[in-house]
Amino acid sequence: GAVVSQHPSRVICKSGTSVKIECRSLDFQATTMFWYRQFPKQSLMLMATSNEGSKATYEQGVEKDKFLINHASLTLSTLTVTSAHPEDSSFYICSANSASGGWTDTQYFGPGTRLTVL
Amino acid sequence: AQTVTQSQPEMSVQEAETVTLSCTYDTSESDYYLFWYKQPPSRQMILVIRQEAYKQQNATENRFSVNFQKAAKSFSLKISDSQLGDAAMYFCAYRSAKTGNQFYFGTGTSLTVIP
Protein backbone atom coordinates (compact mmCIF):
# COMPACT_ATOMS: atom_id res chain seq x y z
CA GLY A 1 0.00 0.00 0.00
CA ALA A 2 0.84 3.74 -0.12
CA VAL A 3 2.19 3.84 -3.66
CA VAL A 4 2.84 7.12 -5.44
CA SER A 5 3.37 7.38 -9.18
CA GLN A 6 4.81 10.18 -11.27
CA HIS A 7 4.49 10.82 -14.95
CA PRO A 8 6.51 11.28 -17.02
CA SER A 9 9.65 9.72 -15.61
CA ARG A 10 11.80 11.63 -18.02
CA VAL A 11 11.14 14.64 -20.24
CA ILE A 12 13.28 16.66 -22.60
CA CYS A 13 11.93 19.95 -23.85
CA LYS A 14 13.03 23.07 -25.64
CA SER A 15 13.68 26.30 -23.81
CA GLY A 16 10.54 28.40 -23.50
CA THR A 17 8.06 25.54 -23.45
CA SER A 18 5.95 24.41 -20.50
CA VAL A 19 6.10 20.98 -18.96
CA LYS A 20 3.49 19.31 -16.75
CA ILE A 21 4.40 16.61 -14.26
CA GLU A 22 1.70 14.50 -12.64
CA CYS A 23 1.81 12.94 -9.21
CA ARG A 24 -0.78 10.34 -8.24
CA SER A 25 -1.45 8.41 -5.09
CA LEU A 26 -2.54 5.02 -6.37
CA ASP A 27 -4.04 3.26 -3.37
CA PHE A 28 -4.73 5.97 -0.84
CA GLN A 29 -6.10 9.46 -0.53
CA ALA A 30 -3.50 12.15 -0.08
CA THR A 31 -4.51 15.13 1.98
CA THR A 32 -1.21 16.82 1.33
CA MET A 33 1.29 16.48 -1.47
CA PHE A 34 4.78 17.90 -1.61
CA TRP A 35 7.02 18.84 -4.50
CA TYR A 36 10.78 18.63 -4.19
CA ARG A 37 13.68 19.42 -6.40
CA GLN A 38 16.92 17.50 -6.15
CA PHE A 39 20.25 18.46 -7.65
CA PRO A 40 22.90 15.79 -8.26
CA LYS A 41 24.34 14.36 -5.06
CA GLN A 42 22.34 16.73 -2.92
CA SER A 43 19.42 16.43 -0.58
CA LEU A 44 15.82 17.13 -1.43
CA MET A 45 14.79 20.78 -1.52
CA LEU A 46 11.14 21.39 -0.72
CA MET A 47 9.53 23.62 -3.31
CA ALA A 48 5.92 23.69 -2.21
CA THR A 49 3.21 22.01 -0.21
CA SER A 50 -0.21 21.52 -1.69
CA ASN A 51 -3.47 20.62 -0.03
CA GLU A 52 -6.41 19.37 -2.00
CA GLY A 53 -8.72 22.17 -3.07
CA SER A 54 -6.56 25.04 -1.87
CA LYS A 55 -3.62 27.06 -3.09
CA ALA A 56 -0.15 25.66 -2.69
CA THR A 57 2.24 27.07 -0.14
CA TYR A 58 5.58 27.85 -1.72
CA GLU A 59 8.93 27.87 0.01
CA GLN A 60 10.97 31.03 0.06
CA GLY A 61 12.77 31.62 -3.20
CA VAL A 62 10.47 29.43 -5.29
CA GLU A 63 8.61 31.38 -7.98
CA LYS A 64 4.95 30.46 -7.82
CA ASP A 65 4.27 31.85 -11.29
CA LYS A 66 6.97 29.65 -12.74
CA PHE A 67 6.14 26.47 -10.86
CA LEU A 68 2.37 26.14 -11.00
CA ILE A 69 0.89 23.55 -8.67
CA ASN A 70 -2.62 22.21 -8.84
CA HIS A 71 -4.04 19.70 -6.39
CA ALA A 72 -7.42 19.04 -7.95
CA SER A 73 -8.29 15.84 -6.15
CA LEU A 74 -7.21 13.70 -3.24
CA THR A 75 -5.21 11.50 -5.60
CA LEU A 76 -3.68 13.93 -8.08
CA SER A 77 -1.34 16.89 -7.96
CA THR A 78 0.37 18.48 -10.93
CA LEU A 79 3.46 20.64 -11.23
CA THR A 80 3.78 22.76 -14.35
CA VAL A 81 7.12 24.32 -15.12
CA THR A 82 6.22 27.31 -17.26
CA SER A 83 8.55 28.77 -19.86
CA ALA A 84 11.25 26.32 -18.88
CA HIS A 85 14.90 27.29 -19.18
CA PRO A 86 18.07 25.20 -18.94
CA GLU A 87 18.54 26.19 -15.29
CA ASP A 88 15.22 24.45 -14.53
CA SER A 89 16.77 21.14 -15.52
CA SER A 90 16.66 18.96 -12.46
CA PHE A 91 15.13 15.93 -10.81
CA TYR A 92 11.64 16.66 -9.47
CA ILE A 93 10.11 14.40 -6.84
CA CYS A 94 6.64 14.43 -5.38
CA SER A 95 5.48 12.87 -2.15
CA ALA A 96 2.18 12.44 -0.42
CA ASN A 97 0.81 12.20 3.08
CA SER A 98 -1.78 9.50 3.44
CA ALA A 99 -5.18 10.32 4.88
CA SER A 100 -5.84 6.62 5.15
CA GLY A 101 -3.70 3.57 4.70
CA GLY A 102 -0.09 3.49 5.70
CA TRP A 103 1.14 5.85 8.38
CA THR A 104 -0.57 9.22 8.18
CA ASP A 105 2.56 10.95 9.43
CA THR A 106 4.79 9.49 6.73
CA GLN A 107 5.58 10.84 3.30
CA TYR A 108 5.48 8.36 0.45
CA PHE A 109 7.54 9.32 -2.53
CA GLY A 110 7.04 9.05 -6.25
CA PRO A 111 9.85 7.75 -8.46
CA GLY A 112 10.78 11.23 -9.67
CA THR A 113 10.88 13.02 -13.02
CA ARG A 114 14.09 13.94 -14.77
CA LEU A 115 13.58 17.24 -16.62
CA THR A 116 16.12 18.35 -19.19
CA VAL A 117 15.63 21.71 -20.86
CA LEU A 118 17.65 22.24 -24.02
CA ALA B 1 13.25 25.57 11.57
CA GLN B 2 14.52 22.26 12.70
CA THR B 3 17.89 21.13 11.40
CA VAL B 4 18.99 17.62 10.66
CA THR B 5 22.67 16.80 10.42
CA GLN B 6 24.31 13.81 8.82
CA SER B 7 28.02 14.17 9.46
CA GLN B 8 29.14 11.30 7.24
CA PRO B 9 28.91 12.21 3.54
CA GLU B 10 30.23 8.76 2.57
CA MET B 11 30.50 5.40 4.27
CA SER B 12 31.54 1.98 3.12
CA VAL B 13 30.98 -1.48 4.51
CA GLN B 14 32.06 -4.98 3.61
CA GLU B 15 29.29 -7.26 2.45
CA ALA B 16 27.75 -9.18 5.40
CA GLU B 17 29.21 -6.72 7.91
CA THR B 18 27.43 -4.13 10.01
CA VAL B 19 27.47 -0.38 9.47
CA THR B 20 26.02 2.52 11.43
CA LEU B 21 24.96 5.81 9.88
CA SER B 22 24.69 8.79 12.18
CA CYS B 23 22.06 11.50 12.35
CA THR B 24 21.53 14.30 14.83
CA TYR B 25 18.78 16.88 14.91
CA ASP B 26 17.93 20.07 16.65
CA THR B 27 14.46 20.73 18.01
CA SER B 28 12.73 22.22 21.01
CA GLU B 29 9.70 20.00 20.56
CA SER B 30 9.01 16.85 22.52
CA ASP B 31 6.66 15.14 20.11
CA TYR B 32 7.91 14.31 16.64
CA TYR B 33 8.75 11.57 14.18
CA LEU B 34 12.06 10.50 12.72
CA PHE B 35 12.66 8.60 9.51
CA TRP B 36 15.38 7.01 7.47
CA TYR B 37 14.89 6.92 3.72
CA LYS B 38 17.01 5.11 1.18
CA GLN B 39 17.58 6.46 -2.34
CA PRO B 40 19.21 3.87 -4.62
CA PRO B 41 20.57 4.75 -8.08
CA SER B 42 17.02 4.55 -9.44
CA ARG B 43 16.37 7.73 -7.38
CA GLN B 44 13.19 6.28 -5.84
CA MET B 45 12.96 7.32 -2.19
CA ILE B 46 12.15 4.28 -0.09
CA LEU B 47 11.10 4.38 3.56
CA VAL B 48 13.50 2.25 5.57
CA ILE B 49 12.38 2.80 9.13
CA ARG B 50 10.36 5.19 11.24
CA GLN B 51 10.45 6.14 14.92
CA GLU B 52 7.93 7.93 17.08
CA ALA B 53 9.66 10.15 19.62
CA TYR B 54 7.32 9.22 22.45
CA LYS B 55 8.35 5.58 22.15
CA GLN B 56 11.43 4.61 24.09
CA GLN B 57 11.83 1.33 22.27
CA ASN B 58 14.07 1.51 19.23
CA ALA B 59 12.39 0.68 15.93
CA THR B 60 13.56 -2.35 13.97
CA GLU B 61 12.77 -3.60 10.49
CA ASN B 62 14.51 -6.86 9.67
CA ARG B 63 18.21 -6.00 9.20
CA PHE B 64 17.63 -2.32 9.93
CA SER B 65 17.47 -0.89 13.41
CA VAL B 66 17.86 2.50 15.00
CA ASN B 67 19.52 3.79 18.12
CA PHE B 68 17.25 6.60 19.22
CA GLN B 69 18.72 8.77 21.97
CA LYS B 70 16.12 11.47 22.62
CA ALA B 71 18.10 13.43 25.17
CA ALA B 72 21.10 13.54 22.88
CA LYS B 73 18.88 14.19 19.82
CA SER B 74 20.56 11.37 18.00
CA PHE B 75 18.99 8.88 15.61
CA SER B 76 21.50 6.48 14.08
CA LEU B 77 20.70 3.69 11.63
CA LYS B 78 22.34 0.29 11.94
CA ILE B 79 22.38 -2.02 8.95
CA SER B 80 23.27 -5.60 9.82
CA ASP B 81 24.46 -8.27 7.39
CA SER B 82 24.95 -5.65 4.68
CA GLN B 83 23.96 -6.65 1.18
CA LEU B 84 24.96 -5.25 -2.19
CA GLY B 85 21.43 -3.93 -2.62
CA ASP B 86 21.87 -1.73 0.43
CA ALA B 87 24.18 0.54 -1.54
CA ALA B 88 22.38 3.88 -1.79
CA MET B 89 22.08 7.39 -0.42
CA TYR B 90 20.49 7.39 3.00
CA PHE B 91 18.58 10.41 4.26
CA CYS B 92 17.52 11.07 7.81
CA ALA B 93 14.34 13.14 8.21
CA TYR B 94 12.44 14.90 10.99
CA ARG B 95 8.76 15.72 11.19
CA SER B 96 6.96 17.61 13.94
CA ALA B 97 3.91 15.92 15.40
CA LYS B 98 2.20 19.23 16.03
CA THR B 99 3.37 22.06 13.81
CA GLY B 100 2.59 20.78 10.33
CA ASN B 101 3.70 17.88 8.21
CA GLN B 102 6.79 19.27 6.55
CA PHE B 103 9.85 17.04 6.54
CA TYR B 104 13.33 18.31 7.30
CA PHE B 105 15.99 16.24 5.58
CA GLY B 106 19.64 15.75 6.31
CA THR B 107 22.23 16.09 3.57
CA GLY B 108 22.52 12.36 3.10
CA THR B 109 25.13 9.63 3.49
CA SER B 110 26.31 7.69 0.47
CA LEU B 111 26.76 4.03 1.42
CA THR B 112 29.00 1.75 -0.62
CA VAL B 113 28.87 -2.00 -0.07
CA ILE B 114 32.10 -3.79 -0.93
CA PRO B 115 31.71 -7.36 -2.22
Side-chain angles (χ1 to χ4, degrees):
Chain A
V3 177
V4 176
S5 71
Q6 256 181 268
H7 178 80
S9 58
R10 184 181 292 261
V11 58
I12 301 172
C13 69
K14 291 182 179 179
S15 187
T17 60
S18 295
V19 174
K20 181 185 283 189
I21 303 170
E22 290 187 349
C23 177
R24 292 183 185 272
S25 56
L26 298 185
D27 52 359
F28 66 98
Q29 292 186 325
T31 50
T32 306
M33 286 184 166
F34 304 85
W35 287 96
Y36 294 89
R37 185 171 179 176
Q38 187 179 32
F39 293 102
K41 298 188 179 181
Q42 292 190 23
S43 189
L44 282 69
M45 182 190 80
L46 179 65
M47 299 174 66
T49 302
S50 75
N51 294 292
E52 185 265 338
S54 62
K55 288 185 178 179
T57 302
Y58 290 81
E59 294 299 301
Q60 194 170 9
V62 178
E63 298 176 60
K64 62 180 180 181
D65 294 330
K66 180 164 189 64
F67 298 100
L68 301 178
I69 292 171
N70 183 276
H71 193 158
S73 75
L74 283 172
T75 59
L76 173 65
S77 177
T78 59
L79 168 68
T80 301
V81 183
T82 61
S83 186
H85 290 283
E87 57 266 29
D88 298 324
S89 298
S90 191
F91 193 69
Y92 292 88
I93 307 176
C94 74
S95 71
N97 260 132
S98 172
S100 61
W103 290 294
T104 56
D105 52 77
T106 299
Q107 287 189 24
Y108 298 95
F109 287 83
T113 296
R114 163 75 61 200
L115 170 63
T116 302
V117 185
L118 302 175
Chain B
Q2 282 74 12
T3 56
V4 178
T5 302
Q6 291 179 250
S7 60
Q8 307 153 315
E10 297 178 344
M11 290 283 283
S12 61
V13 61
Q14 206 77 32
E15 193 175 4
E17 297 295 310
T18 295
V19 65
T20 298
L21 308 183
S22 67
C23 172
T24 58
Y25 56 95
D26 185 23
T27 185
S28 58
E29 299 176 331
S30 60
D31 200 9
Y32 49 87
Y33 304 92
L34 296 165
F35 306 83
W36 277 99
Y37 282 87
K38 165 186 176 181
Q39 188 180 40
S42 68
R43 307 293 292 273
Q44 170 76 61
M45 292 282 282
I46 301 166
L47 177 66
V48 175
I49 202 164
R50 137 188 197 284
Q51 175 82 42
E52 294 147 313
Y54 66 86
K55 288 188 176 178
Q56 292 186 341
Q57 187 174 7
N58 289 324
T60 62
E61 284 290 340
N62 300 314
R63 298 182 295 106
F64 299 88
S65 62
V66 298
N67 184 3
F68 174 46
Q69 301 289 328
K70 192 172 184 179
K73 296 178 185 174
S74 170
F75 183 61
S76 60
L77 174 69
K78 185 171 84 171
I79 306 174
S80 304
D81 185 25
S82 297
Q83 300 175 359
L84 295 179
D86 294 333
M89 280 289 287
Y90 286 81
F91 293 98
C92 177
Y94 170 103
R95 179 195 184 272
S96 169
K98 291 195 168 88
T99 58
N101 48 20
Q102 180 177 343
F103 273 33
Y104 296 91
F105 285 94
T107 50
T109 296
S110 177
L111 178 66
T112 300
V113 181
I114 304 165

